């Protein structure tokens, strides 16, 4: 399955969950594509990798397709997750209720700051990062979330990998080096904001050019007042 398709499957799953919560029993590919923010041809091609779950003239059974995508992604089981770095971002992630409803269980919260050890976040207590090996072994953790400052992220990553973690979600603004067989997904909020700033700047420049053109036209036409 192409990586681009894999990346869109969680988007389809989220759209199906929303449709199910609204009481929608069946939906067409066009309706699902609109809910997911993609075109219907791309959606149909993506779903073809999973098999044929649609019925001509009827569409997709929302609950059934939701289950099939969840099974393909692997979120029909309970995945224990450890979060390292319990600052503001780590707190927010630990308190996010959406994890449990999507197949993820926060098994432990770890931080290298001794002052944070014993702090309660939701139903969990923060433990010292030195316990990482024991925590990973006890809970069978395969997924780790790094929410530390950038300078600490690589050392944290190395400890997680050595402990047996094979998938990492990295919120630290740095590139991690991992051995073969370990998957890393990077979430850099500052980069996403910079991309939005780029688009805003492009729109402002386009608006400025449009205003300039209108002013030129107005100056050339008798009886029209320029801006």
């Amino acid at each position: 399955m192409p990586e681009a398709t894999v990346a869109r499957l969680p988007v389809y799953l989220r759209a199906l969950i929303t449709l199910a919560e609204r009481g929608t029993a069946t939906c067409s590919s066009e309706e699902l594509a609109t809910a997911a923010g993609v075109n219907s041809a791309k959606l149909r091609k993506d779903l073809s990798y999973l098999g044929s779950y649609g019925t001509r003239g009827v569409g997709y059974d929302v609950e059934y397709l939701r289950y099939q995508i969840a099974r393909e992604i692997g979120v029909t089981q309970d995945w224990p997750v450890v979060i390292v770095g319990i600052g503001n971002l780590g707190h927010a992630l630990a308190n996010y209720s959406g994890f449990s409803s999507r197949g993820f269980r926060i098994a432990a919260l770890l931080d290298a700051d001794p002052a944070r050890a014993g702090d309660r976040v939701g139903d969990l207590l923060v433990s010292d990062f030195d316990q990482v090996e024991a925590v990973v072994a006890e809970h069978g953790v395969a997924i780790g979330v790094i929410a530390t400052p950038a300078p600490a992220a690589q050392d944290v990553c190395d400890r997680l990998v050595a402990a047996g973690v094979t998938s990492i979600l990295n919120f630290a603004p740095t590139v991690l080096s991992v051995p073969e067989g370990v998957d890393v997904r990077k979430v850099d909020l500052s980069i996403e904001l910079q991309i939005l700033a780029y688009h805003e700047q492009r729109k402002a420049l386009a608006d400025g050019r449009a205003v300039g053109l209108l002013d030129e036209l107005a100056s050339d036409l008798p009886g029209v007042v320029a801006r």
Side-chain angles (χ1 to χ4, degrees), residues 47-60:
L47 295 184
S48 70
Y49 290 105
L50 304 181
S52 180
Y53 297 118
T55 303
R56 184 178 297 276
V58 177
Y60 298 104

Side-chain angles (χ1 to χ4, degrees), residues 5 15 21-23 40 42 46 55 62 93 96 104 106 108 127 145 151-152 156 163 169 177 190 196 200 223:
T5 296
E21 289 174 346
R22 293 175 182 170
S40 57
K42 181 179 293 185
D46 287 342
T55 303
V62 169
L93 293 171
Y96 177 54
F104 302 96
I106 306 303
S127 299
V145 177
V156 167
L169 181 62
S177 176
S190 63
L196 289 175
E200 285 300 315

Side-chain angles (χ1 to χ4, degrees), residues 158-177:
D158 293 342
R159 287 281 299 274
L160 286 171
V161 171
V165 171
T166 53
S167 291
I168 293 173
L169 181 62
N170 178 33
F171 283 90
T174 187
V175 176
L176 298 176
S177 176

Side-chain angles (χ1 to χ4, degrees), residues 182-201:
V182 176
D183 295 305
V184 176
R185 297 289 296 182
K186 180 174 173 54
V187 181
D188 194 321
L189 301 179
S190 63
I191 287 179
E192 298 302 324
L193 286 171
Q194 288 167 0
I195 292 171
L196 289 175
Y198 165 80
H199 289 296
E200 285 300 315
Q201 179 173 261

Side-chain angles (χ1 to χ4, degrees), residues 10 25 61 69 76 80 85 90 92 109 111 132 179-181 191 195 214:
D61 182 299
I69 292 178
T76 53
L109 307 176
D111 199 286
V132 60
E180 186 175 353
I191 287 179
I195 292 171
L214 287 173

Side-chain angles (χ1 to χ4, degrees), residues 9-225:
L9 289 181
V11 180
Y12 301 150
L13 180 59
R14 182 177 60 193
L16 287 164
I17 290 172
T18 299
L19 289 171
E21 289 174 346
R22 293 175 182 170
T24 303
T26 60
C27 67
S28 66
S29 58
E30 288 77 13
E31 290 169 331
L32 181 54
T34 298
V38 302
N39 67 65
S40 57
K42 181 179 293 185
L43 179 138
R44 285 193 293 270
K45 184 175 181 180
D46 287 342
L47 295 184
S48 70
Y49 290 105
L50 304 181
S52 180
Y53 297 118
T55 303
R56 184 178 297 276
V58 177
Y60 298 104
D61 182 299
V62 169
E63 283 293 346
Y64 183 65
L65 183 57
R66 170 183 171 179
Y67 171 77
Q68 295 300 334
I69 292 178
R71 185 183 66 172
E72 185 69 26
I73 296 174
V75 294
T76 53
Q77 66 184 78
D78 186 33
W79 290 98
V81 176
V82 60
I83 299 176
V84 183
I86 314 302
N88 291 333
L89 177 58
H91 267 87
L93 293 171
N95 282 316
Y96 177 54
S97 60
F99 288 136
S100 60
S101 63
R102 287 166 173 79
F104 302 96
R105 173 176 56 85
I106 306 303
L109 307 176
L110 303 176
D111 199 286
D113 184 354
R116 289 202 169 102
D119 287 354
R120 180 173 292 278
V121 182
D123 295 329
L124 294 173
L125 295 178
V126 178
S127 299
D128 192 283
F129 181 63
D130 281 341
Q131 299 181 30
V132 60
E133 290 83 6
V135 165
V136 170
E138 178 185 352
H139 297 282
V141 175
I143 301 174
V145 177
I146 297 177
T148 66
Q154 185 63 58
D155 288 341
V156 167
C157 175
D158 293 342
R159 287 281 299 274
L160 286 171
V161 171
V165 171
T166 53
S167 291
I168 293 173
L169 181 62
N170 178 33
F171 283 90
T174 187
V175 176
L176 298 176
S177 176
V178 296
E180 186 175 353
V182 176
D183 295 305
V184 176
R185 297 289 296 182
K186 180 174 173 54
V187 181
D188 194 321
L189 301 179
S190 63
I191 287 179
E192 298 302 324
L193 286 171
Q194 288 167 0
I195 292 171
L196 289 175
Y198 165 80
H199 289 296
E200 285 300 315
Q201 179 173 261
R202 297 287 294 181
K203 285 184 281 188
L205 290 172
D207 289 343
R209 286 194 295 267
V211 169
L213 179 59
L214 287 173
D215 287 345
E216 290 178 17
L217 290 173
S219 65
D220 291 339
L221 294 174
V224 176
V225 178

